Amino acid sequence: MNDGSSVAQLAATLRDELIRYPEGAKLPASRVLVARHQVSPVTLSRAIATLAAEGLVTSRPGAGVFKATQQRRTGTAGDVSWQEIALAAHPPLGGVDPATRGAGAAGVLATLTSPPPEVIDLNGGYLHTELQPERALGAALARAGRRPGTWSRPPVEGLPELREWFARDIGGPGGTLAASDVLVAAGGQSALTTALRALAAPGAPVLVESPTYPGLLAAARAAGLRPVPVPVDADGVRTDLLAQAFEATRARLFVCQPLFHNPTGAVLAPQRRAEVLRIARAAGAFVVEDDFARRLVHADSPALPLPLAADDPDGVVVHVRSLTKAASPSLRIAGLSARGPVLERLRAIQVVDSFFVPRPLQETTLELVGSPAWAKHLRTLAGALRDRRTAVLTALAAELPALLPQRPPYGGYHLWLRLPDGSDEREAAASALRRGVAVTAGGPYFTAEAPAPYLRLSYVGTPGTAQLEDGVHRLRQALS
């Protein structure tokens, strides 16, 4: 019993037991707690670490664990009402209301918030621990820790060996992408933020798919940019409308997810791939390709198309390739690649924002992707994603057949469910939560009002398929 739910349950139990102890009192020895609660020493250690992080206990090596002494706040509460004026008093940033720079994080926070242990998670955007390569990650971290120089400062662009690996991974066999075209970034979100800030001035329009990933919309608004939606259908972004949007806005940037688009799961059709590049090139614009799901392909998927960056000798595409989704939410590593002078702009923005990605994390990543365990994990993950998708679709066919997507994706980890006209998606999500299942309302995936009600259903946040089937059953009860 060492998974996240067991840790959370034990931490809750210990939290209740702490009420009986006076401040500074010593808790029973670890062996006593392990026997009393029938858990492993690892689970106990993690639960104690949780309580320590909350400031409820203190751990003293060689002495034991003690209930923390709470510091009493003295004096009266301060008056922070002045901040309302200060935060709104700045002049408009390039014509954009400065208040929007801090807005739009709700959609991101929804996928980062872990529901209580008793709630089935059909909302999260990261692999459950059952799907993560924990042993391979631990072994890679241990090997990286023994490397000479692991704790020294890395090059600001990233370790040369890791940049070379990303160049091969993105460009494919015989690709023209070089290690010098790649920057190592601290995850996909950080890479997207760097690209937005480097390629568009505050107040400028940026074309985005509609619907699209809420983290992109939040990052664009935080940078003072104005997201302009371009509709997506079953074959990806509508290229006829993309051309119109460039002409109407004079935008110089389009951000897209051509492979297993979030949230629809669409794959950009072959005939539209060349069109996207041609339209952007004619507009003198960049295309930021967020290739977040390439390592989330299902075992029964057809052959994948190459990235747009592989067909782009002219430097139109700025490519983002993250390893986080396929490994662990804490392995925040991505490759940010571009050709031409724009790479220096990206490098400058990234250096100012974060200096560099910590070397131990880069060394661990190198150890992971260079080991046989990585390839084995990807094969295992592909089979698990296929099985989970099949389980959810089968459950939907039995419980909610009207919500079945017409073209289920063969990659990624989510389904985009169209609710009947007139449905209140927020109430549907709230009702589902009351039934013990967490799903995501579709509204935050649109730049403005949604054209129809949707729910996004993720199938990687649970321990197995049994919970997925139960979650769909509870969702039917909530919607009925």
Side-chain angles (χ1 to χ4, degrees):
M1 295 179 62
N2 63 350
D3 62 13
S5 61
S6 299
V7 172
Q9 291 168 3
L10 179 58
T13 300
L14 295 176
R15 203 178 288 115
D16 293 337
E17 291 182 357
L18 280 173
I19 299 174
R20 305 197 302 265
Y21 291 85
E23 292 184 1
K26 183 179 179 181
L27 273 65
S30 295
R31 64 179 181 277
V32 175
L33 293 175
V34 165
R36 176 186 299 173
H37 298 287
Q38 294 296 295
V39 296
S40 69
V42 173
T43 299
L44 175 64
S45 176
R46 291 179 177 176
I48 293 295
T50 299
L51 298 184
E54 296 172 0
L56 299 178
V57 300
T58 58
S59 181
R60 303 173 194 168
V65 178
F66 299 81
K67 182 175 179 178
T69 301
Q70 301 298 315
Q71 294 183 351
R72 273 71 177 180
R73 295 184 62 181
T74 58
T76 58
D79 181 4
V80 297
S81 57
W82 64 272
Q83 292 185 5
E84 186 173 352
I85 299 173
L87 291 172
H90 302 291
L93 185 63
V96 176
D97 182 353
T100 65
R101 286 184 286 164
V108 183
L109 291 172
T111 59
L112 292 177
T113 301
S114 298
E118 66 273 11
V119 174
I120 297 173
D121 185 4
L122 303 186
N123 170 72
Y126 295 108
L127 300 181
H128 189 273
T129 53
E130 292 291 332
L131 295 173
Q132 294 175 25
E134 286 195 323
R135 292 183 62 182
L137 284 165
L141 180 62
R143 293 194 301 271
R146 294 192 295 268
R147 283 189 175 194
T150 289
W151 290 96
S152 62
R153 180 175 64 83
V156 294
E157 300 86 358
L159 296 180
E161 302 90 341
L162 189 54
R163 298 171 72 194
E164 177 65 37
W165 182 87
F166 270 116
R168 293 194 305 270
D169 192 54
I170 296 167
T176 58
L177 200 66
S180 57
D181 298 324
V182 179
L183 302 174
V184 177
Q189 184 70 16
S190 176
L192 283 173
T193 300
T194 296
L196 288 169
R197 293 186 57 209
L199 302 176
V206 52
L207 304 186
V208 299
E209 295 165 314
S210 181
T212 193
Y213 165 52
L216 167 62
L217 299 178
R221 289 166 177 150
L225 306 179
R226 180 164 51 91
V228 177
V230 183
V232 169
D233 63 19
D235 291 320
V237 66
R238 289 270 306 272
T239 48
D240 56 333
L241 299 180
L242 178 64
Q244 293 179 24
F246 270 122
E247 183 177 356
T249 63
R250 304 298 178 190
R252 292 293 180 265
L253 180 60
F254 170 51
V255 186
C256 62
Q257 294 177 333
L259 187 66
F260 308 132
H261 168 259
N262 183 10
T264 68
V267 176
L268 187 63
Q271 63 272 21
R272 294 188 183 180
R273 290 170 53 88
E275 272 294 283
V276 168
L277 296 180
R278 182 192 65 78
I279 292 168
R281 192 179 294 111
F286 289 99
V287 174
V288 173
E289 180 183 19
D290 181 8
D291 202 12
F292 78 103
R294 188 161 292 271
R295 296 297 174 235
L296 298 174
V297 62
H298 300 178
D300 55 353
S301 170
L304 300 184
L306 292 173
L308 295 180
D311 300 325
D312 170 44
D314 301 327
V316 173
V317 178
V318 173
H319 186 88
V320 176
R321 171 71 59 82
S322 172
L323 298 180
T324 304
K325 293 293 188 184
S328 162
S330 290
L331 191 75
R332 305 211 60 78
I333 288 286
L336 176 60
S337 64
R339 294 186 177 96
V342 67
L343 188 70
E344 184 56 34
R345 176 80 64 85
L346 294 166
R347 175 180 178 272
I349 294 292
Q350 180 168 288
V351 167
V352 169
D353 282 351
S354 58
F355 283 10
F356 47 78
V357 177
R359 183 163 187 154
L361 195 58
Q362 295 191 55
E363 297 280 10
T364 298
T365 303
L366 269 175
E367 289 287 352
L368 176 67
V369 299
S371 70
W374 176 241
K376 180 181 178 181
H377 162 66
L378 292 179
R379 290 192 299 271
T380 302
L381 179 61
L385 291 175
R386 174 202 58 204
D387 296 345
R388 286 167 176 253
R389 182 206 70 220
T390 301
V392 172
L393 290 174
T394 301
L396 284 172
E399 302 270 4
L400 294 163
L403 300 189
L404 274 174
Q406 293 183 346
R407 194 187 298 180
Y410 287 87
Y413 54 86
H414 54 267
L415 298 176
W416 188 235
L417 308 182
R418 169 72 152 83
L419 297 178
D421 290 336
S423 300
D424 186 332
E425 61 180 31
R426 289 182 295 180
E427 173 55 33
S431 178
L433 190 59
R434 290 193 293 270
R435 291 280 184 174
V437 58
V439 295
T440 310
Y445 291 80
F446 294 91
T447 57
E449 292 79 7
Y454 289 92
L455 291 179
R456 178 181 174 274
L457 189 154
S458 167
Y459 45 82
V460 293
T462 66
T465 57
Q467 292 83 1
L468 294 174
E469 294 162 356
D470 188 17
V472 173
H473 177 68
R474 298 187 191 192
L475 180 60
R476 181 193 63 77
Q477 293 177 325
L479 296 182
S480 64

